[in-house]
Amino acid sequence: MDFFLELSQGFATLARPDVLAYMVLGFVIGTFFGAVPGLTSVLAIALLLPITYSMDVVPALVMCAAIFMSGMYAGSITATTINIPGAPSSMMTAIEGHALMKKGEGANALGHAALGSMIGGSLGALLLMALMPLAAKASLLIQTPGKFSLVLFALVVIVIVQRDAIAKGLIATMLGVMIATIGIDVMQPIPRFNFGTEMLVEGIDMMPIIIGTFAISEVLYQAHQNQGDLRISLSQAASSIIRRRDFLPSFAQIREIGIVTYLKSALLGYGIGILPGVGGSMAAFVAYADAKRRSRRPDDYGKGSREGIAAAEAANNSMCGGAFVPMLMFGIPGDPTTAIVLGVLVINGLQPGPRLLETQTDLIAPMFASLLVSALVLIPLTLFLLGPWFVRIVSIPKGLLYASIAVVALVGSYVATFSIFQMALALLFGVFAFFLRQQNYPTVSLLLGFILGPDLEQYLRRSLSLSDGDPTVFLTSPDSLFFLALLAVFVYFMVIRKSKQAGIEGKTTVESDP
């Protein structure tokens, strides 16, 4: 009951002019970064992370939540108008939205994307607030061996969701874990792997990893891609969606999609968001596939299905609420954006865990409120006010844009730590992450491995210490056994079973060849 009282006070805090201004600013920044191809909400928060050092924790978290929600929604803008997803989670929206755009119904497609985002984002935020106390109580039941198995489960899921690049995902994750071992030992005050230099005794700071992996590498990647000027057919695109009334989905279209599609997609997105490292792309794909499977008009998919847009957008925005659960309870990010929000918590002295809700709910509640208000109010308001001008975002010259990002990233890494060495590390990790991306290694896995590596080692060593070195403690502890069993189920269905099916299909194809 105290939690919900604090939650109501969180909405009151959000109504303060200064905090409200930070939320609106965050939403505008997230919309901009989400709509420009190549920029994401992850990059936006990564660039703003150094600024949070000089901010109070409440405005910082409120702004991050608004960026998260708006960035997820804004990816549908260029996905619809020029068939370039502003975020990876908008790939399914691009398929259906751009098909409607070519039919002259781009405004209507953007309206359905906004409606799906509003419903999904609102439900995800409400589920987060309603179920958070239960999650906190459940997390108190998990002992040290169970925490090790949970972190191990998270790392394995991060690897296997890469699907066609499991080996590369494993390598990237292990590289992140290895980098995290540099510095002071997690159990004893002894430096290790510092290569004889005092500058590495304290280890690698999270700041250069985040800025290098997401900001510097993105600039290098976009420069290498040489995508050219994205200002193609902007005048035509703008003229086709200039009337604000065209953005409003008709009641008949909403009824045809059905409330079940919105609700089921939102629930799927929230559930997938809880899984560590999965993210909005998987949520959108699963909901889109499920909607197509049970649709009464499956032939419309790929040709401009409003139902497909609604399902994908409801799922990827509801994922935002689910992704906060493992991050706040266990310090395990649900997706790349919450991995950086975790950094905001840490640099402000907030330690994730069940006690966070008990002792510092007044700091967390405004963030939950920002997530809900961003989805429920700001998404439809922004679409109505700025809809005709959305596509003009992509007219910014890319050379100027990415050069500015590179300067801000490097200066930010220095301002955050006042260390030339840490700034050099940001540049080094940026180049390293760029080469990883060139070879299709998932850099998100590198970051999540870096974040979760210390916890994995700490809980492993503590568990073995408590059991006098007996490794069977992980099998005799009920909570640990539960997560290990869950891990086995995931590995079987997502790796072993899919491999068998692929082998059978390949064999059938060979046999049917004349």
Side-chain angles (χ1 to χ4, degrees), residues 119-475:
I119 294 174
S122 301
L123 285 176
L126 289 172
L127 286 170
L128 171 66
M129 292 183 280
L131 300 179
M132 206 61 189
L134 296 176
K137 291 179 180 178
S139 64
L140 289 172
L141 302 176
I142 302 176
Q143 303 302 313
T144 302
K147 290 179 181 178
F148 166 77
S149 298
L150 174 60
V151 176
L152 179 64
F153 167 75
L155 285 171
V156 174
V157 170
I158 289 167
V159 171
I160 62 180
V161 294
Q162 304 301 327
R163 290 180 288 182
D164 298 331
I166 290 179
K168 292 183 177 181
L170 176 62
I171 292 173
T173 304
M174 292 308 299
L175 283 173
V177 173
M178 291 167 63
I179 294 170
T181 62
I182 297 174
I184 301 296
D185 187 277
V186 295
M187 298 287 287
Q188 301 174 6
I190 301 173
R192 58 183 183 179
F193 307 124
N194 63 332
F195 303 99
T197 174
E198 294 181 0
M199 290 184 289
L200 287 175
V201 169
E202 295 182 1
I204 305 294
D205 194 79
M206 188 181 294
M207 186 68 65
I209 286 280
I210 291 175
I211 291 180
T213 302
F214 289 106
I216 304 299
S217 72
E218 185 65 40
V219 171
L220 295 174
Y221 185 77
Q222 293 295 337
H224 182 265
Q225 290 291 100
N226 192 23
Q227 293 179 357
D229 193 356
L230 294 176
R231 291 176 289 182
I232 51 173
S233 305
L234 280 178
S235 59
Q236 297 175 5
S239 64
S240 67
I241 59 172
I242 196 65
R243 296 180 302 176
R244 286 182 171 85
R245 65 181 182 181
D246 293 339
F247 288 90
L248 300 176
S250 68
F251 180 74
Q253 292 171 347
I254 296 173
R255 186 173 57 184
E256 184 179 351
I257 293 171
I259 190 65
V260 174
T261 299
Y262 291 107
L263 294 178
K264 188 175 182 181
S265 299
L267 290 174
L268 281 172
Y270 181 82
I272 291 172
I274 294 175
L275 298 176
V278 177
S281 300
M282 180 66 74
F285 175 78
V286 171
Y288 178 88
D290 178 74
K292 183 178 181 180
R293 178 183 59 82
R294 58 183 181 79
S295 175
R296 289 177 294 180
R297 303 177 66 179
D299 293 339
D300 287 352
Y301 280 73
K303 303 173 183 177
S305 170
R306 294 174 176 83
E307 184 181 46
I309 295 174
E313 290 300 312
N316 62 31
N317 280 269
S318 65
M319 184 279 308
C320 297
F324 275 102
V325 176
M327 188 271 285
L328 291 174
M329 289 298 95
F330 306 105
I332 299 175
D335 85 315
T337 307
T338 49
I340 304 179
V341 176
L342 176 61
V344 177
L345 289 173
V346 171
I347 66 176
N348 281 281
L350 299 180
Q351 186 62 37
R355 300 296 179 191
L356 183 64
L357 291 184
E358 294 180 8
T359 60
Q360 293 171 311
T361 311
D362 57 321
L363 303 179
I364 301 299
M367 180 175 69
F368 292 171
S370 176
L371 206 64
L372 177 60
V373 173
S374 295
L376 192 61
V377 178
L378 293 185
I379 285 179
L381 184 63
T382 304
L383 179 74
F384 181 75
L385 293 177
L386 302 177
W389 308 101
F390 271 157
V391 293
R392 299 187 186 277
I393 293 176
V394 300
S395 66
I396 299 175
K398 292 299 173 287
L400 176 62
L401 180 65
Y402 285 108
S404 303
I405 289 173
V407 171
V408 170
L410 288 175
V411 172
S413 63
Y414 173 77
V415 170
T417 59
F418 292 103
S419 170
I420 295 291
F421 178 69
Q422 295 292 340
M423 184 174 71
L425 281 180
L427 182 59
L428 176 64
F429 282 118
V431 174
F432 179 58
F434 166 71
F435 283 112
L436 287 180
R437 291 181 64 175
Q438 285 293 95
Q439 302 301 321
N440 297 319
Y441 284 86
T443 52
V444 171
S445 298
L446 175 74
L447 176 63
L448 295 178
F450 175 81
I451 292 173
L452 298 179
D455 287 338
L456 183 75
E457 180 186 3
Q458 181 178 356
Y459 294 138
L460 172 63
R461 292 170 64 177
R462 282 185 179 178
S463 299
L464 293 176
S465 177
L466 292 171
S467 64
D468 294 326
D470 183 8
T472 60
V473 66
F474 299 110
L475 299 177

